[in-house]
């Protein structure tokens, strides 16, 4: 595989650093604190820079060439867009494949709601790419000895003053590693019914996922559990869809599942076009019987 001279990973995510190592001759990482710096070094970063303000990263990258890699999140997309505007460079988001072609960067992404794949080529001196989870194999920890991280100078005369910092609530789920996933959709009538779904997950040893409306409209589950074109792209051995209609934007997220099982009361639901096997029935009648049998 062709490589580019410099790859800059934002954060200490093992998957992003795995991609940086795969694509670049020299790997750099931008992190927020000492713990992230230690993690980035252990995962193979050649140099690590600790930054506090976004403008410090912009200033550092101003005369650089290469590829900037970011994990898929709202913050990363904002970061990427700002880099593109301030450094006049090409940006591509929601990417699931990256290839180096000479000095250009080719990116693959879903378009038309997942109905087609587009290849976008970035020819600018610096390319900024936001990749979906599952795009690269995670980097392995390579060493226990670390260099000293460099501190990027803090920008003076900030227009925004930080009054308080609160820790972000982190999810402990990683659907990319799950061998079994149970996902729910709008067929689940109310939040309290999730207890039954969770019991089923426990009995079969599965992680719980969901469709976009469950996470973003109902807010029953965190974003890390939403499966679909703009979030998790999972590759489980078994994927069980409960009350999921099966719209293409969601099914793209489990296109690599080994086996798909569906439960839906609508015999014409699109999910049955993807399922290896399915049950046409009311989940509130089917699932209690399944749970009873498992017990």
């Amino acid at each position: 595989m062709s490589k580019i001279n410099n790859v800059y990973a934002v954060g200490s995510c093992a998957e992003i650093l795995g991609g940086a190592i795969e694509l670049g001759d020299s790997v750099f990482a931008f992190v927020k604190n000492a713990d992230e710096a230690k993690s980035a070094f252990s995962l193979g970063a050649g140099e690590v820079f600790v930054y506090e303000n976004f403008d410090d990263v912009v200033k550092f990258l101003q005369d650089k060439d290469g590829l900037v890699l970011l994990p898929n999140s709202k913050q990363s997309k904002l970061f990427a867009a700002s880099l593109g505007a301030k450094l006049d460079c090409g940006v591509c988001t929601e990417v699931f494949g990256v290839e180096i072609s000479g000095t250009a960067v080719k990116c693959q992404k879903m378009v038309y709601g997942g109905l087609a794949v587009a290849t976008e080529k970035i020819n600018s001196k610096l390319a900024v790419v936001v990749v979906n989870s599952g795009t690269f194999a995670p980097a392995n920890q390579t060493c226990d000895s670390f260099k000293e991280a460099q501190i990027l100078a803090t920008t003076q005369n900030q227009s925004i003053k930080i009054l308080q910092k609160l820790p972000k609530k982190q999810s402990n789920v990683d659907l990319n590693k799950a061998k079994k996933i149970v996902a729910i959709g709008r067929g689940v009538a109310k939040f309290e019914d999730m207890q039954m779904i969770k019991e089923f997950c426990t009995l079969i040893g599965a992680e719980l996922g969901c469709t976009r409306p469950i996470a973003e409209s109902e807010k029953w589950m965190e974003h890390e559990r939403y499966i679909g074109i703009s979030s998790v792209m999972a590759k489980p051995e078994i994927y069980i869809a409960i009350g999921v209609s099966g719209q293409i934007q969601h099914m793209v997220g489990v296109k690599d599942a080994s086996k798909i099982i569906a439960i839906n009361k609508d015999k014409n639901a699109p999910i049955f076009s993807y399922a290896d096997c399915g049950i046409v029935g009311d989940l509130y009648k089917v699932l209690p019987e399944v749970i009873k049998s498992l017990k």
Side-chain angles (χ1 to χ4, degrees), residues 243-265:
V244 174
S245 64
Q247 298 301 317
I248 184 66
Q249 294 90 341
H250 174 75
M251 298 311 299
V252 163
V254 287
K255 62 183 178 63
D256 294 322
S258 299
K259 188 174 291 293
I260 296 176
I261 301 170
I263 302 174
N264 198 298
K265 65 182 179 181

Side-chain angles (χ1 to χ4, degrees), residues 26-264:
S26 299
V27 175
F28 308 88
F30 297 111
V31 300
K32 296 290 287 183
N33 53 54
D35 288 338
E36 285 189 3
K38 184 177 180 181
S39 176
F41 274 127
S42 73
L43 292 169
E47 291 187 53
V48 177
F49 302 92
V50 178
Y51 74 98
E52 182 175 350
N53 299 301
F54 167 74
D55 283 342
D56 297 324
V57 178
V58 174
K59 184 177 179 181
F60 178 87
L61 290 172
Q62 208 150 27
D63 300 316
K64 303 296 191 295
D65 58 45
L67 169 63
V68 180
L69 280 181
L70 303 97
N72 192 0
S73 68
K74 290 181 179 178
Q75 185 178 21
S76 289
K77 289 176 182 177
L78 178 61
F79 202 149
S82 298
L83 281 174
K86 294 188 176 186
L87 299 178
D88 192 25
C89 56
V91 177
C92 195
T93 62
E94 296 183 1
V95 170
F96 70 85
V98 183
E99 178 185 344
I100 305 303
S101 178
T103 57
V105 177
K106 288 183 177 179
C107 303
Q108 286 187 309
K109 60 185 297 183
M110 296 289 182
V111 293
Y112 304 123
L115 293 174
V117 174
T119 299
E120 297 184 2
K121 188 175 181 181
I122 302 177
N123 292 309
S124 54
K125 182 180 174 182
L126 188 70
V128 181
V129 178
V130 179
V131 297
N132 289 337
S133 59
T135 301
F136 300 111
N140 295 316
Q141 186 166 336
T142 57
C143 64
D144 293 319
S145 59
F146 313 103
K147 304 176 187 176
E148 185 175 346
Q150 300 181 51
I151 308 297
L152 294 184
T154 302
T155 305
Q156 300 299 318
N157 301 320
Q158 298 180 60
S159 59
I160 299 175
K161 183 178 181 181
I162 298 175
L163 299 178
Q164 185 181 19
K165 289 186 178 181
L166 298 174
K168 179 181 177 182
K169 185 179 180 181
Q170 297 289 336
S171 171
N172 58 3
V173 67
D174 186 354
L175 293 185
N176 292 298
K177 297 179 181 178
K179 292 185 177 181
K180 299 176 185 177
I181 296 176
V182 172
I184 62 169
R186 285 195 181 275
V188 177
K190 55 185 186 295
F191 178 77
E192 290 73 21
D193 298 334
M194 292 206 14
Q195 190 57 44
M196 173 178 64
I197 311 292
K198 289 178 180 178
E199 182 180 10
F200 175 57
C201 288
T202 300
L203 288 170
I204 66 171
E207 286 286 359
L208 181 58
C210 65
T211 60
R212 183 171 185 167
I214 296 298
E216 297 194 349
S217 298
E218 302 297 339
K219 300 191 184 302
W220 291 354
M221 300 172 71
E222 58 267 45
H223 181 83
E224 288 82 0
R225 293 186 186 270
Y226 146 44
I227 298 168
I229 190 170
S230 58
S231 187
V232 176
M233 306 289 279
K235 301 176 183 178
E237 293 176 3
I238 298 176
Y239 172 72
I240 303 175
I242 300 176
V244 174
S245 64
Q247 298 301 317
I248 184 66
Q249 294 90 341
H250 174 75
M251 298 311 299
V252 163
V254 287
K255 62 183 178 63
D256 294 322
S258 299
K259 188 174 291 293
I260 296 176
I261 301 170
I263 302 174
N264 198 298

